[in-house]
Amino acid sequence: MSLVNEELSEPYSIFTYRYFVYIWPQLTFLAFDAKDGKCVGTVVCKMGEHRGSFRGYIAMLVVLKPYRGRGIATELVTRSIRVMMESGCEEVILVYFC
């Protein structure tokens, strides 16, 4: 939970993310430090119909600052997009808040 609280700028509540994880658990990926088992990154996504197409949506992507630049976010996004495309998504979007 501290990963989300410390690093995210998105204005969603934790309940929104819990809903995504509960409904689309196959679209949630975590990255851990192999040395100490600490969770250092995550991506949370959802899928659904949108204006006549089946769309994937990356709702949250975060990697702790000391772990950035190592390809962790790229791997998390790649895995989630792969699952969304295999599930029939025609497009995937990421909305960014700063």
Side-chain angles (χ1 to χ4, degrees):
M1 202 59 235
S2 63
L3 175 69
V4 173
N5 291 333
E6 293 172 18
E7 300 291 338
L8 284 183
S9 61
E10 287 89 344
Y12 300 125
S13 76
I14 192 60
F15 299 106
T16 301
Y17 296 121
R18 285 182 180 167
Y19 171 74
F20 287 2
V21 171
Y22 179 77
I23 301 296
W24 299 280
Q26 74 279 20
L27 297 177
T28 299
F29 295 91
L30 302 170
F32 295 92
D33 185 313
K35 294 178 184 171
D36 63 11
K38 178 181 180 180
C39 184
V40 299
T42 187
V43 64
V44 175
C45 307
K46 72 174 194 162
M47 299 182 294
E49 290 290 328
H50 181 78
R51 297 183 182 177
S53 68
F54 196 59
R55 174 185 277 183
Y57 173 79
I58 299 173
M60 174 178 63
L61 173 64
V62 62
V63 174
L64 289 175
K65 286 180 184 177
Y67 293 85
R68 293 180 186 171
R70 301 181 189 187
I72 295 170
T74 300
E75 182 64 25
L76 290 168
V77 169
T78 299
R79 289 180 185 215
S80 63
I81 289 174
R82 185 179 305 124
V83 172
M84 287 187 270
M85 300 307 281
E86 289 171 355
S87 299
C89 287
E90 301 166 48
E91 60 185 2
V92 176
I93 65 164
L94 166 67
V95 178
Y96 178 77
F97 296 99
C98 53

